[in-house]
Amino acid sequence: MSEDTKHICISNYNYPLPDARIAKFPLSERDHSKLLLYKHGEVSEDKFYQLPEYLPKGALMVFNNTKVIQARMHFRKETGALIEVFLMEPAQPTDYELMFQTNHACAWLCMVGNLKKWKEGALRRAFEIKGHKLTLTATMDRSKVQEQAGGTNHWVNFEWDNTNVSFAEILEAVGELPIPPYLNRATEESDKKTYQTVYSKIKGSVAAPTAGLHFTDKVLEALDEHGIDREELTLHVGAGTFKPVKSHEIEGHSMHTEFIVVRRQTLEKLLKHGCRAIAVGTTSVRTLESLYYMGVKLVSDPEIAEKDLHVNQWEPYDLPHNAEGLVETDGKVITVEDAVRHLLAYLDRDGLNALHSSTQIIIAPGYTYKIVKALVTNFHQPQSTLLLLVSAFVKGDWRKIYDYALGHDFRFLSYGDSSLLIP
């Protein structure tokens, strides 16, 4: 299985996407976007606000509650050069919640625009927040450069001279919300609202989990009335989500690492629902499917350290699987229920209320889904890992879906229309 998957040619996942079909702005009413319905090979369409009518009563639906941060900051050097510092990942402290609460100093791994103009020294920016004057200083530690899947990350130390102000407040005041590069436009004030899901809570992403942008409070209420059991998890979306696949075969593509948090309650709900879920968005998919492989690690070693629960890119393909796609070791098949129970036992062992880990999983044709049985997702870029994920889910039938969308005036990418996929 792994060799076939690793040798997939990304050029086989190309399709013509005219610029006019890329939605540059969202609709004025989120839930009035079009909804493509793919069920057991048949394609039709409706409006998104009708989504609850197409879901089985009593099903579990899982949402990613991450919130996009205003991660892009600009500093003007005395020479006049403009330097962009794009926050990618907290470095000190590494915990997102603690990071945003800091009130004097912190450090981030950042991408730096116009780097050649910032050869040495500090960047400074003076401003005022709620009547508090302060100066934000940024210095780069050039000994801590990291090569990541999303690009080169630089360690940047931030300090400010007013302890009445948190780093979260600084970002709200001077940070800019990053929108996808393919929109080819500047961020507008309206994006601060429209590029967040209505249920976003946990700050940390530099890109929105866009499948969730269609949901409104009214649709969420309709889901509740329909008997849908809603749960949330957190995966902080990194800039690597936009990284194109440049290698001929996907084996040459490095997936980005993303950080996840899954509460005990969500794991318990999964068990209650037979470890079957409807995923809202590819980020929820990657989190849910990673849970199985984290549980597999715990079956093999119940004393494993938290950092070792991380799911590597090719791990799901390199392990021995049976015909149903479940890991089999020493003649024992590890079921999804086994894996989730071991995750709960791990939380019990360490007295935790939530699982904190990370994943680098790539889901592509050849992968067998373990937990996700239906998927709400937008329409993705040609030759992208997200399109591979969709193809794996619909067992290679992605062209039928995308041909229909292109032929029926669907809008594409982050601010575009939606689909419900039930293979």
Side-chain angles (χ1 to χ4, degrees):
M1 177 175 72
S2 62
E3 288 309 306
D4 288 345
T5 299
K6 290 177 181 179
H7 294 304
I8 285 173
C9 294
I10 196 63
S11 59
N12 292 333
Y13 294 83
N14 199 6
Y15 69 91
L17 179 58
D19 186 66
R21 302 305 295 274
I22 299 173
K24 301 297 194 295
F25 292 90
L27 298 179
S28 57
E29 295 184 77
R30 292 174 184 252
D31 58 8
H32 280 55
S33 53
K34 296 177 75 168
L35 176 68
L36 182 146
L37 300 158
Y38 172 89
K39 187 172 183 180
H40 311 322
E42 298 298 318
V43 181
S44 59
E45 66 177 270
D46 205 331
K47 292 292 187 182
F48 189 84
Y49 55 76
Q50 297 286 8
L51 173 70
E53 300 302 316
Y54 296 97
L55 303 178
K57 283 182 166 57
L60 175 65
M61 196 169 203
V62 180
F63 298 76
N64 182 5
N65 64 11
T66 189
K67 189 167 191 171
V68 185
I69 61 172
Q70 293 177 200
R72 190 174 268 135
M73 289 197 286
H74 293 96
F75 294 83
R76 181 76 65 181
K77 292 194 69 180
E78 291 179 2
T79 59
L82 186 67
I83 310 296
E84 179 180 284
V85 180
F86 193 129
L87 308 179
M88 296 293 292
E89 181 186 324
Q92 195 173 327
T94 55
D95 181 89
Y96 281 87
E97 190 173 348
L98 292 176
M99 167 63 73
F100 294 121
Q101 292 172 359
T102 55
N103 64 353
H104 170 62
C106 61
W108 283 76
L109 293 173
C110 304
M111 288 197 295
V112 179
N114 208 8
L115 178 65
K116 63 186 178 189
K117 296 290 186 180
W118 187 16
K119 293 179 180 175
E120 58 185 3
L123 303 176
R124 290 182 176 83
R125 182 167 175 176
F127 50 95
E128 188 174 307
I129 298 178
K130 298 176 183 176
H132 299 293
K133 291 184 177 180
L134 68 153
T135 299
L136 177 67
T137 303
T139 54
M140 193 189 307
D141 187 336
R142 296 177 185 274
S143 68
K144 296 179 179 177
V145 174
Q146 289 192 13
E147 295 297 330
Q148 302 277 8
T152 302
N153 285 347
H154 301 269
W155 182 295
V156 178
N157 295 303
F158 296 98
E159 292 184 24
W160 56 103
D161 54 3
N162 194 317
T163 56
N164 292 308
V165 176
S166 69
F167 194 66
E169 290 172 311
I170 289 174
L171 290 186
E172 287 294 323
V174 299
E176 183 180 300
L177 192 81
I179 58 174
Y182 48 66
L183 295 184
N184 290 319
R185 65 172 177 83
T187 301
E188 298 191 4
E189 187 65 25
S190 61
D191 291 309
K192 290 183 180 180
K193 182 176 182 180
T194 59
Y195 197 58
Q196 301 279 13
T197 64
V198 297
Y199 49 81
S200 63
K201 296 181 181 69
I202 313 298
K203 295 175 182 175
S205 283
V206 300
T210 54
L213 295 180
H214 307 277
F215 287 85
T216 58
D217 290 335
K218 189 174 180 180
V219 172
L220 295 175
E221 288 168 10
L223 289 171
D224 294 341
E225 291 168 5
H226 197 68
I228 300 299
D229 203 353
R230 290 192 283 129
E231 270 299 316
E232 295 178 356
L233 47 74
T234 307
L235 179 144
H236 290 312
V237 188
T241 192
F242 301 120
K243 184 189 178 189
V245 180
K246 293 182 177 178
S247 56
H248 175 62
E249 296 182 344
I250 65 169
E251 185 176 23
H253 181 77
S254 294
M255 286 292 287
H256 50 292
T257 295
E258 290 173 314
F259 296 91
I260 66 172
V261 180
V262 182
R263 297 179 302 161
R264 172 190 296 274
Q265 174 183 313
T266 305
L267 295 172
E268 291 170 344
K269 282 280 183 72
L270 268 176
L271 276 179
K272 177 184 171 185
H273 286 270
C275 293
R276 300 166 65 87
I278 302 166
V280 176
T282 57
T283 58
S284 296
V285 169
R286 294 180 70 237
T287 305
L288 289 168
E289 293 296 314
S290 294
L291 290 177
Y292 174 72
Y293 289 97
M294 292 175 185
V296 166
K297 291 171 187 274
L298 286 162
V299 171
S300 302
D301 180 8
E303 302 302 314
I304 196 170
E306 181 182 274
K307 65 180 177 61
D308 296 322
L309 288 175
H310 169 81
V311 179
N312 292 310
Q313 176 167 334
W314 294 110
E315 203 168 326
Y317 304 88
D318 293 337
L319 292 168
H321 291 74
N322 68 4
E324 284 74 46
L326 298 173
V327 172
E328 186 172 1
T329 55
D330 300 324
K332 182 181 185 300
V333 174
I334 301 174
T335 67
V336 183
E337 288 82 359
D338 288 338
V340 174
R341 287 193 183 97
H342 275 78
L343 287 170
L344 284 166
Y346 162 80
L347 295 183
D348 290 338
R349 182 194 86 187
D350 290 354
L352 301 171
N353 286 319
L355 172 71
H356 293 255
S357 191
S358 57
T359 185
Q360 205 179 351
I361 192 172
I362 185 169
I363 297 178
Y367 179 87
T368 301
Y369 278 78
K370 315 297 187 296
I371 293 173
V372 178
K373 304 303 177 186
L375 170 61
V376 177
T377 189
N378 285 14
F379 298 94
H380 305 291
Q381 287 180 291
Q383 301 190 125
S384 64
T385 57
L386 299 181
L387 189 54
L388 293 174
L389 180 152
V390 168
S391 180
F393 191 66
V394 297
K395 300 175 175 59
D397 216 8
W398 70 272
R399 282 197 185 275
K400 178 189 287 187
I401 295 165
Y402 277 64
D403 284 348
Y404 184 97
L406 286 165
H408 289 78
D409 205 30
F410 276 70
R411 302 158 75 244
F412 279 61
L413 307 187
S414 295
Y415 273 144
D417 292 315
S418 184
S419 66
L420 170 63
L421 309 179
I422 304 175

